Amino acid sequence: MSDNKRVAVFASGTGSNYEAIMEAKHLPCEVVLLVSDQPGALVLEKAAKYNTPTFVFDVEDYKDQADYEQKIVEKLEKAKVEWIFLAGYMRIIGPTLLEKYEGSIVNIHPSLLPSFPGLDAIGQAMDAGVKKTGVTIHYVDAGVDTGPIIAQQSVAITEHDTRETLVEKIHAVEHELYPQTIHQLLAEDSN
Ligand code: GRF
């Protein structure tokens, strides 16, 4: 019998981190569901390419956060999902999802938390003039980017960096660090 964990990835945008997870070698998991709140997101084209089943919703079709999260929980339970990896999912995780999955929901954020939480962390770091930013992988709790930190890697900001070069450097780190960290978490979960 396979020891692979059943995981879901949540994404709202391009999905380069989803792609990095799909391309990672020997990850002890199967991505059994991709959840997106953006019916037009590029990540959905990637999900089609990898044959990952999707659940796509539009918040406008739901009464409130509890209502759409309840629907997500139903999909996750049906797919027997054990871990959730957020990869550019642009919504706060509410009590409905946390109650079922806290401790098994992980996020990737493009700064060295607790610096620069929230939106546009890369722009915040550039505006602050810091010489070092980075990537954080953390458990999700009820706050915004406040949960316990699992892994971090720093990225230097030089005088030659523009927003584009910095985004590129941060993405390159993310695409290595996220699969590595997922591997470690899932390996520990099997012990
Ligand atoms: C990443 O920079 C991640 O840290 C942040 O959102 C971005 C998602 O990028 N949470 P992508 O959609 O995976 O390309």
Side-chain angles (χ1 to χ4, degrees), residues 25 51 177:
K25 302 272 177 270
N51 288 318
L177 190 65

Side-chain angles (χ1 to χ4, degrees), residues 13-18 87-90 107-110 170-171 174-175:
T14 312
S16 68
N17 281 284
Y18 158 74
Y89 179 65
M90 301 302 285
N107 183 40
I108 184 161
H109 183 78
I170 287 189
H171 272 150
E174 289 186 337
H175 299 161

Side-chain angles (χ1 to χ4, degrees), residues 76-131:
L76 294 169
E77 288 182 340
K78 197 160 170 227
K80 299 190 166 53
V81 166
E82 300 166 276
W83 284 86
I84 297 170
F85 297 110
L86 307 184
Y89 179 65
M90 301 302 285
R91 296 202 172 268
I92 310 266
I93 299 293
T96 307
L97 267 166
L98 274 178
E99 201 180 289
K100 298 269 180 184
Y101 291 95
E102 190 159 12
S104 307
I105 311 182
V106 173
N107 183 40
I108 184 161
H109 183 78
S111 77
L112 292 176
L113 290 171
S115 294
F116 313 126
L119 291 177
D120 193 21
I122 297 176
Q124 289 185 55
M126 290 212 86
D127 291 347
V130 292
K131 299 290 178 210

Side-chain angles (χ1 to χ4, degrees), residues 1 7-8 17-19 22 29 40 49 54 56 58 61 73 79 89 104 106 117 135 138 144 151 166 171 180 189:
M1 208 181 89
V7 316
N17 281 284
Y18 158 74
E19 195 166 26
M22 298 309 290
C29 68
K49 180 179 137 198
T54 57
V56 185
D58 184 337
D61 297 337
V73 167
Y89 179 65
S104 307
V106 173
V135 174
H138 65 95
V144 176
L166 185 57
H171 272 150
Q180 263 171 33
D189 189 28

